[in-house]
Amino acid sequence: MSHSEPVKVEVGLGDRAYDILIGPGLLSGSGTKIAGRLPGTRAAIVTDENVAAAHLETLQAGLEKGGIEAAVITLPAGEKTKSFAHLEEVVDGVLAAKLERRDVVVALGGGVIGDLAGFAAGIVRRGMNFVQVPTSLLAQVDSSVGGKTGINSARGKNLVGVFNQPKLVLADTGVLDTLPIREFRAGYAELAKYGLIDRPGFFAWLEENWQKVFAGGPERTEAIAEACRAKADVVARDEFETGDRALLNLGHTFGHALEAATNYDGARLVHGEGVAIGMALAHRFSARLNLASPDDAERVEAHLRAVGLPWRMADIAGQLPDPETLLGFITQDKKVSRGALTFILTRGVGHAFIAKDVPPSEVLSFLKASHPG
Ligand SMILES: NC(=O)c1ccc[n+]([C@@H]2O[C@H](COP(=O)([O-])OP(=O)(O)OC[C@H]3O[C@@H](n4cnc5c(N)ncnc54)[C@H](O)[C@@H]3O)[C@@H](O)[C@H]2O)c1
Ligand SMILES: [Zn+2]
């Protein structure tokens, strides 16, 4: 544990602005950080079984140091927890602890817990205070920032929820040491995404420093902080995703199709791995359309390969559906407007843009060329 000051990134949303604090040892300092912003508060911690086993005691002790008493709601780990049944469990737990609107729901976990607890905080007593303590790399660089919260419906992922910004995000970089390596890599794909969207210098820095990011230390903190700056910028420009925020979907059109094509079977493909392959495909596809150079595509593929991420469809275990079926997943995922698809394409590393006029026939011939067969 380090006692150096955490890095602070501000999300500039006017009267709903908040800080993201990033650094090692933040769980232990959580009580004073929260009490400084929300004096006299009581708390309910929402977490999952894996995270509770590794980090709950540290968080509870940290909250106590700031005089914050906390009830605990522990749920099973995994995507299935983002359900109406578990939402009800969280709402009931918060009410049973007799928390009031000015009290705080603390989400201690990955994106599943953050999305669910943030949604619950948004609806209990018409909206309670809410603090994110993200414990996966994906949650630290993506889901805990920006205020999208919610659960899944039987009809699809993330279909029920609200925009609800937290009051504070505490990204303790030390807790990532207990994260399984495959989950760390998957989160790393989303981290590298910000470099590929509009921060070419950051991508080049990651190519040089990724091993130190994986190992921990100041490079890990700096990489997460830069990712949070990137996301905070986009969110401050376009909180409700009417424009630019769509750039964050780089790699996600192909990625979601591959997740659907593997029946969301995490043993074959987790979300960040789908995004890694999707980002590589988006660069290859852009090169094929003569928008970017093949060297850029090669560079992205080489980096994903270096960190141990999958980067092509052939890296997915088992059979994939044929290219026509994959295209079907893409057109299902997207609104097709007058026969054209919206894609995030690129003019090169760090120069992604929203393309609204991609013909499905181009996508299909590209999928045929990239399919392992
Ligand atoms: N709200 C948003 O803007 C947004 C953005 C991206 C993703 N998401 C959502 O995030 C979810 C995925 O998040 P995720 O990848 O964090 O999944 P997750 O919450 O399921 O966490 C992944 C796994 O790691 C475990 N874990 C987490 N932190 C750990 C730690 N420090 N030590 C040991 N184990 C730990 C969890 O128990 C779980 O088994 C999806 O539901 C997705 O829809 C939301
Ligand atoms: Zn994603």
Side-chain angles (χ1 to χ4, degrees):
M1 201 204 319
S2 148
H3 294 279
S4 61
E5 277 302 299
V7 177
K8 181 164 93 176
V9 174
E10 294 172 2
V11 186
L13 288 170
D15 59 353
R16 286 168 302 112
Y18 57 96
D19 292 338
I20 308 165
L21 302 181
I22 305 134
L26 277 166
L27 252 44
S28 308
S30 56
T32 41
K33 302 281 189 231
I34 294 173
R37 287 164 175 83
L38 303 167
T41 195
R42 293 192 305 139
I45 300 169
V46 182
T47 190
D48 75 27
E49 283 160 3
N50 297 338
V51 177
H55 303 292
L56 179 58
E57 270 181 39
T58 315
L59 178 67
Q60 281 176 307
L63 291 176
E64 273 164 30
K65 272 193 263 164
I68 300 175
E69 202 190 304
V72 178
I73 303 162
T74 306
L75 304 170
E79 186 69 29
K80 288 205 168 64
T81 295
K82 273 173 59 173
S83 68
F84 278 105
H86 290 292
L87 176 68
E88 184 171 3
E89 196 177 336
V90 174
V91 167
D92 189 64
V94 172
L95 293 173
K98 300 196 162 51
L99 296 196
E100 295 169 21
R101 189 183 284 166
R102 64 193 197 93
D103 292 326
V104 62
V105 173
V106 178
L108 173 72
V112 165
I113 290 298
D115 281 13
L116 172 68
F119 183 27
I123 60 175
V124 176
R125 299 188 185 281
R126 299 196 174 79
M128 294 180 54
N129 285 320
F130 161 46
V131 168
Q132 288 270 22
V133 184
T135 63
S136 68
L137 181 56
L138 180 138
Q140 295 194 352
V141 301
D142 191 354
S143 62
S144 71
V145 177
K148 282 191 185 175
T149 72
I151 58 173
N152 302 326
S153 145
R155 294 180 187 278
K157 280 191 65 175
N158 298 324
L159 291 181
V160 181
V162 295
F163 282 95
N164 182 26
Q165 300 290 347
K167 290 284 186 280
L168 175 68
V169 180
L170 295 174
D172 185 330
T173 53
V175 303
L176 301 180
D177 289 339
T178 61
L179 191 66
I181 181 67
R182 191 170 170 202
E183 294 290 346
F184 192 97
R185 284 200 191 101
Y188 183 89
E190 303 273 10
L191 187 136
K193 182 184 76 178
Y194 298 106
L196 295 176
I197 292 172
D198 62 356
R199 299 188 176 220
F202 182 45
F203 188 76
W205 183 87
L206 286 172
E207 288 175 309
E208 288 295 314
N209 293 286
W210 67 269
Q211 273 143 321
K212 295 178 189 152
V213 175
F214 275 66
E219 286 83 3
R220 180 186 286 174
T221 299
E222 188 40 44
I224 293 169
E226 185 64 9
C228 288
R229 278 179 212 116
K231 179 139 190 196
D233 269 10
V234 172
V235 168
R237 281 205 306 272
D238 179 20
E239 185 178 6
F240 301 110
E241 196 165 331
T242 54
D244 265 12
R245 191 166 176 167
L247 287 169
L248 299 175
N249 293 329
L250 175 65
H252 282 63
T253 300
F254 288 120
H256 284 152
L258 293 170
E259 283 184 275
T262 50
N263 298 312
Y264 299 94
D265 175 1
R268 290 179 70 192
L269 194 72
V270 301
H271 173 74
E273 293 169 343
V275 171
I277 300 173
M279 293 191 305
L281 290 174
H283 283 74
R284 245 331 135 192
F285 187 37
S286 299
R288 188 181 166 96
L289 297 172
N290 290 319
L291 294 162
S293 127
D295 294 347
D296 285 302
E298 173 53 37
R299 199 177 147 195
V300 173
E301 291 164 357
H303 184 55
L304 298 172
R305 207 161 47 229
V307 307
L309 275 163
W311 57 278
R312 55 185 171 181
M313 288 194 258
D315 291 341
I316 302 171
Q319 283 283 109
L320 279 179
D322 60 29
E324 286 78 8
T325 309
L326 287 177
L327 181 68
F329 285 122
I330 289 175
T331 51
Q332 204 173 47
D333 185 51
K334 301 245 126 191
K335 281 169 242 104
V336 184
S337 89
R338 277 184 272 107
L341 290 165
T342 298
F343 259 83
I344 311 304
L345 296 178
T346 187
R347 297 192 176 87
V349 166
H351 299 282
F353 66 98
I354 304 169
K356 295 201 166 143
D357 50 0
V358 179
S361 57
E362 288 284 356
V363 182
L364 183 61
S365 63
F366 172 67
L367 286 171
K368 284 180 176 161
S370 318
H371 201 277

